[in-house]
Amino acid sequence: MKMDTLMLQEPSLYTVKAVLILDNDGERLYAKYYDDTYPSVKEQKAFEKNIFSKTHRTDSEIALLEGLTVVYKSNIDLFFYVIGSSHENELMLMAVLNCLFDSLSQMLRKNVERRALLENMEGLFLAVDEIVDGGVILESDPQQVVHRVALRGEDVPYSEQTVTQVLQSAKEQIKWSLLR
Amino acid sequence: MIKKFDKKDEESGSGSNPFQHLEKSAVLQEARIFNETPINPRRCLHILTKIIYLLNQQTLRRMCYLTIKEMANISEDVIIVTSSLTKDMTGKEDVYRGPAIRALCRITDTTMLQAIERYMKQAIVDKVPSVSSSALVSSLHMVRMSYDVVKRWVNEAQEAASSDNIMVQYHALGLLYHLRKNDRLAVSKMLNKFTKSGLKSPFAYCMLIRIASKLLEETEGGHDSPLFDFIESCLRNKHEMVVYEAASAIVHMPNCTARELAPAVSVLQLFCSSPKAALRYAAVRTLNKVAMKHPSAVTACNLDLENLITDSNRSIATLAITTLLKTGSESSVDRLMKQISSFVSEISDEFKLISQLVMGGFEYKRAIVDCIISIIEENPDSKETGLAHLCEFIEDCEHTVLATKILHLLGKEGPRTPSPSKYIRFIFNRVVLESEAVRAAAVSALAKFGAQNDDLLPSVLVLMQRCMMDSDDEVRDRATFYMNVLQQKQKALNAAYVFNGLSVSVPGLEKSLHQYTLEPTEKPFDMKSVPLANTPITEQKTEFAPVATSKLPEKPGPTRQDIYQEQLAGIPEFQGLGPLFKSSEAVQLTEAETEYVVRCVKHTFARHMVFQFDCTNTLNDQLLQKVMVQMEPSEAYDVLHYVPAANLPYSQPGSCYSLVSLPEDDPTAVSCTFSCTLKYLVKDCDPNTGEPDDDGYDDEYVLEDLEVTVADHIQKVLKPNFAAAWDEVGDDFEKEETFALASVRTLEEAVGNIISFLGMQPCERSDKVPENKNSHILFLAGVFRGGHDVLVRSRLALADGVTMQVTVRSSDKTVVDIILASVG
């Protein structure tokens, strides 16, 4: 009796295959793949091109493309995608997407568009890192994510110098160490 | 890996922002170092470490963690980093600890893991949720590498599972399951504990439901077990995610009764009208799966599903339609199929959906298959995708007719794809698994692969050998036959026997063979003496007709040619002519609305032609007798004999015949014009009674001239593989000439003219000229009277009129000359 699609998958915490952000020309701004469904950059780019062409005109949130569940959201000139296998709980993938979008929205002060994102790429990297780790959903609450990323500079301990001075001395030290 | 790192740093460093902050400039400086080629990972890591010590700027440190994780695969010099990371993970800054743990675990190996074991255990039970989560998830990643070490932390994980934080619960549960999944009893106990203790996390619930389903499936537990009750209770959970997961789990369970399905289905029904597309999609997808096994359970949702047909999300609409196809009534099927066809020409993904999910009756499947085939024909780019879908289709298909049709197509198109070997597996599986008819078709398809791809030939021969042991006669015969042909490794043989099949008419062949066995003779049986089959009109696209109108497949009846052969054989004067080679279409020799309506069918024999004149007398006050058509040839044709029609009363058609011999001494004189006159004895008769007078008078009536052209001497033959046939005929009698067609403006016109003039069959769909092309190659195939294969390759170029280079090959020299002379 051969296996068919109704056989249950092994329950697993690994639910996310990829997180992608494309601009409105379909060009990649950010891409993180958590498994080897698309091992080479060439295949990844081809996949991104495909899903972009199928999703950027409609505003439908969810589609089944290339045998994978794709949930997506767009805003002004950005397209956010979370990819999972077709066996995943679609609502879980939506939770990831919403968490990402809402966290970024807070971090960029509601200005979720390409220029603002490019200026805050490190925030994006850190945010995604807090939401999905190696394909496992790490956090689903945008407040928590924003808190952990905490870009807005809270206390800078270890020194009585002013912030600027600390940064300045750090910069100097780097320069010297690099020149060595 | 390194490139990615660069890009990230550059992106974070550059931006198009003129107001760069200080920390970004530092990173940018660094990035320049990393741009050196060849890059020195050791040095980079060294620098990174320095940065960690020197700087306490939050973002940068965190970026470092990230970059360390990214570089984990290539870094060798991890020890320094490890120690600093360990320091961080136990440090005071909570914000660093989680990421530090995750980074550390990325670069750690087994020995090092034991060194930090103590810290990991502490982290797992830490009160700070981010730390605990990070530790749990990292432990999960490390299970693959070092199961034994991680297994020792199971108690800590257990403790973490009782945390309040919803993510920690989820991660702890996940880790515990992964550690225990081979021990069914442990899993069972764990489930018991958690299902009772009421978790809060919706993610954890989803995980529990999946674990419970898996356990039920493995133990084939009955649906009265507490596990099932748990899943069922989740249908009432306050989180949609959990409700959906539960419904999905119930639906996927084997042996579910309709009663057990009902609550799940009603929940899904509710979701169908949700404003969230993801929920509608999830619901309709799951309902679709239910509909496959229990269509009656879904009927209640039909109204909601109908609303979804017009959903803006195409996937949802498609799924709704396919579900309704399973559960809807006959009348709605028509309408639904029309709706699918409106977007069927586009995305292949929906095809996959349709073909996977519509496991319905024969008609649906047949429509789908026809659809896919016509898409492949329309759009050559879609060929690979279409063939791949068809392959998957036949894996599940229990309809022999469809499977054989698909196998035939695979054999025809598969060898020409870039990687034909992948189709061989599908085909061979059919040989092993299916019924006799399908196995036989699979053997034929395999042979085509072997004939066309030399590197696949050895494998195909091996497979053929196995087929020779089949239990069915047909399969064994085919395998043996192909085996022998293929082993000869001659292209000509392959072309004749593997690719281009039987081109003669089957009833004709039967008759000829019968004749042969009756008359003992020394000569071997000559296939060329068998009349050819008329080319079936397979090149037409299959219309996507509504399914409901199709009935049983029609039985093939006798062809037109067979009928004529019978009729002519009944006339004693035509007995010795030999088999009928070709009959033309009827040609009108009179205008419409004339007194006598005459049309002519030209029958071509080996050395003669018989002209059949079907005459109708439209005058009700006349009776015609001894009707014949007198013919005056313009060339060297000789009229041998007339067979008149005895009586031609009002409006009853009758036929008269003229026998003409073809010129023996000038074989190239194939065309001729005959001036025709209808001659008869006319008797007036009473229009009411039809009683004729006793005597009449001779009269005649001039008809239009009758043309005999080269096309009348050629029978169309479709060669599915023109190139093979071209090679088979060989270039012994090849000739080539170039012509300028001044009066022709477009390539389509030129192509149409040649086809109709020569009367040969276009092959490889070369009768279709792609748009906006200035050049085209036309392939034509046919058989010339006498049984000689003739192939024409015509290169056309459009530039101020059409230029045409014609290459003709045949097994007979004269034929080649004739063709070229006709074109000129």
Side-chain angles (χ1 to χ4, degrees), chain B residues 326-500:
Chain B
K326 297 293 307 149
T327 64
S329 58
E330 282 300 314
S331 57
S332 53
V333 163
D334 242 346
R335 182 167 51 88
L336 292 170
M337 289 304 258
K338 281 204 178 76
Q339 240 154 340
I340 293 193
S341 66
S342 66
F343 46 73
V344 100
S345 52
E346 293 197 21
I347 317 173
S348 59
D349 297 295
E350 264 120 22
F351 264 131
K352 207 171 158 87
L353 265 179
I354 295 176
S355 56
Q356 271 181 358
L357 303 174
V358 179
M359 306 231 288
F362 174 67
E363 294 301 339
Y364 306 145
K365 286 188 161 182
R366 198 173 69 128
I368 300 297
V369 169
D370 286 338
C371 202
I372 297 182
I373 290 179
S374 64
I375 301 275
I376 294 180
E377 286 176 359
E378 281 275 294
N379 180 358
D381 296 330
S382 70
K383 188 157 80 152
E384 289 229 32
T385 331
L387 287 179
H389 287 315
L390 288 175
C391 279
E392 292 190 36
F393 206 83
I394 54 178
E395 299 245 297
D396 274 329
C397 181
E398 64 270 12
H399 300 291
T400 310
V401 169
L402 285 181
T404 48
K405 187 168 178 170
I406 293 176
L407 282 168
H408 182 77
L409 184 72
L410 280 175
K412 198 169 99 155
E413 301 284 347
R416 294 188 242 174
T417 59
S419 52
S421 50
K422 65 184 174 201
Y423 300 114
I424 300 229
R425 175 171 71 83
F426 283 108
I427 300 178
F428 190 64
N429 280 344
R430 305 280 73 70
V431 172
V432 173
L433 296 171
E434 305 279 356
S435 67
E436 301 80 39
V438 176
R439 294 206 300 274
V443 168
S444 299
L446 270 179
K448 294 200 169 89
F449 277 87
Q452 205 155 7
N453 299 86
D454 288 330
D455 21 320
L456 290 177
L457 183 58
S459 325
V460 169
L461 285 175
V462 169
L463 296 175
M464 282 292 172
Q465 197 120 28
R466 291 176 61 175
C467 299
M468 278 165 52
M469 312 289 200
D470 196 279
S471 55
D472 177 71
D473 293 338
E474 173 73 25
V475 178
R476 277 203 311 278
D477 286 345
R478 286 197 192 193
T480 318
F481 173 72
Y482 287 127
M483 184 84 174
N484 284 313
V485 171
L486 288 172
Q487 277 171 336
Q488 307 284 336
K489 296 198 183 148
Q490 287 186 35
K491 287 227 177 310
L493 281 182
N494 287 352
Y497 295 117
V498 178
F499 293 127
N500 287 325

Side-chain angles (χ1 to χ4, degrees), chain A residues 91-106:
Chain A
L91 301 181
M92 257 199 218
L93 298 173
M94 284 302 294
V96 173
L97 181 68
N98 288 330
C99 181
L100 174 63
F101 189 85
D102 294 339
S103 313
L104 278 179
S105 188
Q106 279 197 40

Side-chain angles (χ1 to χ4, degrees), chain B residues 538-703:
Chain B
T538 52
E539 301 282 272
Q540 253 180 30
K541 286 180 276 303
T542 47
E543 293 289 331
F544 195 86
V547 168
T549 58
S550 320
K551 313 262 180 308
L552 292 170
E554 295 162 17
K555 291 171 74 104
T559 62
R560 191 169 151 266
Q561 187 151 320
D562 297 325
I563 296 175
Y564 282 134
Q565 174 119 24
E566 293 283 339
Q567 286 178 343
L568 293 171
I571 300 174
E573 289 88 339
F574 301 150
Q575 285 290 354
L577 295 180
L580 175 62
F581 176 72
K582 175 182 170 166
S583 303
S584 74
E585 296 294 321
V587 178
Q588 296 285 359
L589 293 181
T590 55
E591 312 241 330
E593 313 290 331
T594 48
E595 297 98 324
Y596 312 114
V597 177
V598 178
R599 41 169 237 172
C600 175
V601 178
K602 300 173 266 186
H603 302 289
T604 314
F605 289 82
R607 282 177 297 283
H608 300 84
M609 281 186 85
V610 171
F611 296 96
Q612 172 181 338
F613 298 96
D614 296 324
C615 314
T616 312
N617 169 20
T618 66
L619 299 176
N620 59 359
D621 57 349
Q622 284 190 354
L623 170 68
L624 305 183
Q625 288 183 327
K626 297 195 206 148
V627 182
M628 62 171 234
V629 177
Q630 184 170 40
M631 303 171 74
E632 295 287 333
S634 62
E635 305 285 340
Y637 284 59
D638 286 323
V639 180
L640 295 181
H641 194 74
Y642 293 108
V643 177
N647 276 307
L648 210 58
Y650 166 61
S651 97
Q652 275 179 20
S655 301
C656 62
Y657 301 85
S658 308
L659 176 64
V660 171
S661 76
L662 298 167
E664 293 282 340
D665 38 345
D666 185 7
T668 59
V670 289
S671 7
C672 182
T673 311
F674 293 86
S675 51
C676 303
T677 317
L678 188 69
K679 290 193 146 134
Y680 45 90
L681 179 71
V682 57
K683 289 184 178 171
D684 292 321
C685 62
D686 184 359
N688 298 323
T689 61
E691 284 295 317
D693 292 348
D694 284 331
D695 45 54
Y697 51 94
D698 286 318
D699 202 0
E700 57 181 53
Y701 185 80
V702 175
L703 303 171

Side-chain angles (χ1 to χ4, degrees), chain A residues 62 89-90 129 133 137 170, chain B residues 55 69 102 141 171 245 313:
Chain A
I62 186 165
N89 185 322
E90 293 86 348
D129 187 54
D133 184 279
I137 303 176
Chain B
L55 296 182
K69 280 208 281 191
R102 288 186 277 128
H141 295 324
H171 298 140
E245 186 73 47
N313 182 314

Side-chain angles (χ1 to χ4, degrees), chain A residues 2 10 14 54 60-62 64 66 86-87 89-90 92 119 125 129-130 133 137-138 148 170, chain B residues 8 24 55 62 69 102 141 144 171 177 181 210 241 244-245 277-278 281 285 313 349 396:
Chain A
K2 51 180 173 66
E10 180 72 27
Y14 294 97
K54 306 257 171 72
S60 307
E61 286 187 18
I62 186 165
L64 181 70
E66 297 196 21
S86 58
H87 305 285
N89 185 322
E90 293 86 348
M92 257 199 218
E119 289 167 19
F125 296 150
D129 187 54
E130 289 293 340
D133 184 279
I137 303 176
L138 198 54
R148 291 172 199 174
Chain B
K8 260 217 266 226
K24 286 179 186 163
L55 296 182
R62 297 287 305 284
K69 280 208 281 191
R102 288 186 277 128
H141 295 324
R144 236 172 288 149
H171 298 140
Y177 176 71
K181 64 184 178 196
R210 289 201 177 196
M241 196 193 295
Y244 169 63
E245 186 73 47
Y281 172 84
R285 203 160 159 239
N313 182 314
D349 297 295
D396 274 329

Side-chain angles (χ1 to χ4, degrees), chain A residues 3-11 87, chain B residues 177 209-218 231 245 248-254:
Chain A
M3 304 264 280
D4 59 7
T5 51
L6 294 183
M7 273 280 275
L8 287 180
Q9 301 296 306
E10 180 72 27
H87 305 285
Chain B
Y177 176 71
I209 293 172
R210 289 201 177 196
I211 299 174
S213 310
K214 188 96 176 115
L215 203 58
L216 270 177
E217 184 196 43
E218 280 175 0
I231 298 179
E245 186 73 47
S248 184
I250 293 178
V251 154
H252 282 101
M253 277 187 216

Side-chain angles (χ1 to χ4, degrees), chain B residues 142-201:
Chain B
M142 291 192 292
V143 163
R144 236 172 288 149
M145 173 182 75
S146 193
Y147 176 79
D148 297 318
V149 177
V150 180
K151 193 140 175 48
R152 302 203 280 258
W153 310 343
V154 96
N155 290 328
E156 282 75 15
Q158 190 81 35
E159 198 184 314
S162 46
S163 152
D164 280 339
N165 180 291
I166 60 172
M167 295 315 288
V168 175
Q169 283 178 5
Y170 173 56
H171 298 140
L173 180 61
L175 181 63
L176 285 171
Y177 176 71
H178 276 275
L179 289 176
R180 286 176 172 157
K181 64 184 178 196
N182 295 322
D183 181 352
R184 209 177 283 165
L185 196 56
V187 171
S188 199
K189 273 166 62 177
M190 182 177 83
L191 268 185
N192 265 333
K193 176 165 179 295
F194 284 123
T195 53
K196 292 199 182 75
S197 70
L199 303 165
K200 285 193 301 189
S201 162

Side-chain angles (χ1 to χ4, degrees), chain B residues 496-515:
Chain B
Y497 295 117
V498 178
F499 293 127
N500 287 325
L502 206 57
S503 49
V504 299
S505 104
V506 176
L509 179 62
E510 201 186 320
K511 218 202 280 283
S512 303
L513 284 170
H514 185 61
Q515 199 80 15

